[in-house]
């Protein structure tokens, strides 16, 4: 039977409504997951940032969490949260919206209503690449705020907030400086987006087939199935290109932790990666990976429970 091509995008209203739903559902899912996972993300960034230090401040993730709690309390565990909240809204809204639109473009160009897992992975990679441009400035501010207490832990002066950090970056390095570490974000989000969506779609398809349903019947997913598929997606995303994230975090916190470079040179992705490899080897490039994967399981499961649930409820 001949596959029917994607309907022509005739009604702007339907396109707009679909985009608004993706943005709203993605933003909601992102906010909820970020509040849950932020202390673990803070731990990851602090572990990544110390790889190039002469002496490590923390012996591991549990030590980092314990020291942060002891010295900074609950407020310390959630230091820098406003930036990732905005980032989670922007990231997930852009990610889900772009993923849907790339899928629709592929269906229209290929003349088929169904896409293979490889094609869905390509859509995820494209969505991740687009999202990286939105995410890099937000992650830059977040990372800088997450290492503030490592610079002057006993200072009584108030620490700069996200807007002050943002203004400082623009003042010192111009608008271009907001995309410091973008190569790492681009690599992570492109490869991670492909792995994230492919793992979710693949596991969801297996679970649907177990119930005798077509793997494309995404609206029939039960909450636990969305959670299981999302959990697998979280692991796939973080394992795929974690070293790129480590290098990115080191670049974005270098000025705070190690001061300006000699001669005023600008950090590069390749140069930072080379330095980190020499200093810590493969273990250094995967600093913080364990706790990141551990928090990604419930966090990613939560994202897809919320996104799939809202999509099903308001379809």
């Amino acid at each position: 039977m001949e596959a029917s091509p994607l309907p022509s995008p005739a009604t702007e209203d339907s396109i707009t409504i679909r985009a608004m739903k993706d943005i709203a559902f993605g933003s909601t899912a992102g906010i909820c997951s970020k509040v849950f996972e932020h202390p673990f993300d803070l731990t990851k960034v602090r572990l990544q940032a110390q790889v190039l230090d002469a002496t490590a401040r923390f012996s591991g993730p549990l030590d980092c969490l314990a020291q942060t709690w002891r010295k900074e309390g609950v407020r310390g565990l959630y230091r820098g949260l406003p930036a990732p909240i905005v980032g989670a809204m922007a990231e997930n809204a852009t990610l889900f919206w772009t993923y849907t639109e790339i899928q629709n473009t592929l269906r229209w160009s290929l003349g088929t209503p169904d896409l293979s897992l490889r094609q869905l992975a390509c859509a995820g990679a494209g969505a991740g690449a687009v999202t990286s441009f939105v995410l890099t400035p937000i992650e830059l501010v977040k990372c800088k705020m997450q290492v503030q207490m490592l610079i002057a832990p006993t200072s009584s002066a108030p620490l700069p907030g996200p807007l002050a950090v943002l203004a400082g970056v623009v003042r010192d390095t111009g608008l271009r400086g907001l995309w410091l570490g973008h190569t790492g974000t681009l690599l992570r989000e492109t490869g991670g987006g492909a792995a994230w969506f492919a793992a979710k779609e693949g596991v969801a398809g297996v679970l649907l087939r177990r119930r005798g349903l077509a793997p494309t019947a995404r609206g029939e997913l039960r909450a636990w199935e969305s959670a299981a598929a999302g959990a697998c997606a979280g692991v796939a995303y973080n394992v795929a290109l974690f070293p790129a994230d480590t290098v990115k975090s080191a670049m974005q916190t270098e000025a705070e932790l190690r001061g300006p470079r000699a001669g005023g040179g600008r950090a590069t992705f390749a140069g930072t990666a080379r330095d980190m490899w020499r200093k810590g080897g493969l273990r250094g490039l995967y600093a913080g990976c364990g706790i990141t994967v551990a928090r990604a399981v419930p966090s990613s499961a939560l994202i897809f429970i919320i996104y799939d649930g809202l999509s099903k409820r308001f379809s």
Side-chain angles (χ1 to χ4, degrees):
M1 183 173 66
E2 184 180 1
S4 58
L6 184 74
S8 174
T11 61
E12 289 189 14
D13 286 347
S14 63
I15 297 174
T16 302
I17 291 172
R18 185 179 67 221
M20 288 176 65
K21 285 182 178 180
D22 280 329
I23 291 170
F25 300 162
S27 297
T28 303
I31 291 171
C32 293
S33 69
K34 191 56 65 178
V35 172
F36 165 79
E37 71 175 32
H38 188 74
F40 306 101
D41 183 70
L42 178 138
T43 300
K44 178 206 72 168
V45 169
R46 289 186 171 187
L47 290 173
Q48 290 173 330
Q50 73 173 8
V51 173
L52 290 176
D53 288 347
T55 304
R57 294 176 172 86
F58 313 106
S59 61
L62 293 181
D63 179 52
C64 183
L65 278 171
Q67 284 197 47
T68 302
W69 171 264
R70 188 169 60 251
K71 296 176 182 178
E72 305 172 49
V74 175
R75 186 176 180 181
L77 291 174
Y78 282 91
R79 188 168 304 283
L81 181 61
I85 284 288
V86 174
M89 293 175 62
E91 176 186 12
N92 285 278
T94 305
L95 196 61
F96 282 107
W97 170 58
T98 311
Y99 179 60
T100 298
E101 294 309 316
I102 293 176
Q103 284 185 80
N104 290 335
T105 300
L106 287 173
R107 291 189 183 102
W108 176 79
S109 62
L110 297 172
T112 176
D114 300 324
L115 298 177
S116 68
L117 197 58
R118 180 177 296 180
Q119 290 163 340
L120 291 172
C122 288
V130 172
T131 303
S132 71
F133 288 89
V134 177
L135 202 53
T136 300
I138 297 169
E139 289 212 349
L140 176 70
V141 173
K142 179 205 73 172
C143 288
K144 287 182 178 297
M145 292 189 68
Q146 287 176 331
V147 299
Q148 285 175 336
M149 285 298 292
L150 303 183
I151 309 165
T154 60
S155 174
S156 59
L159 296 170
L163 294 180
V165 172
L166 182 68
V169 172
V170 174
R171 183 180 61 250
D172 295 339
T173 60
L175 287 175
R176 181 186 175 189
L178 293 176
W179 278 268
L180 174 66
H182 178 66
T183 300
T185 312
L186 177 64
L187 289 172
R188 185 196 70 193
E189 290 298 311
T190 303
W196 199 54
F197 282 112
K200 194 270 179 178
E201 302 283 9
V203 174
V206 170
L207 294 174
L208 287 168
R209 279 193 292 269
R210 287 180 70 253
R211 294 197 280 128
L213 298 172
T216 54
R218 297 292 186 264
E220 300 299 323
L221 279 171
R222 294 167 178 164
W224 76 266
E225 292 172 331
S226 290
C232 293
V235 174
Y237 170 88
N238 284 286
V239 172
L241 284 165
F242 191 84
D245 182 67
T246 304
V247 176
K248 186 254 335 163
S249 294
M251 291 178 67
Q252 292 180 332
T253 57
E254 182 182 59
E256 284 73 22
L257 298 182
R258 286 172 290 280
R261 288 189 161 227
R266 182 181 173 89
T268 65
F269 182 83
T272 304
R274 188 166 51 248
D275 291 344
M276 296 184 79
W277 174 262
R278 280 200 296 260
K279 183 74 188 301
L282 190 62
R283 183 177 180 181
L285 290 173
Y286 275 90
C289 184
I291 195 167
T292 302
V293 172
R295 59 94 169 163
V297 171
S299 175
S300 190
L302 183 62
I303 287 176
F304 280 108
I305 285 177
I306 294 172
Y307 181 83
D308 287 346
L310 290 173
S311 298
K312 186 176 182 178
R313 173 68 177 80
F314 296 101
S315 60

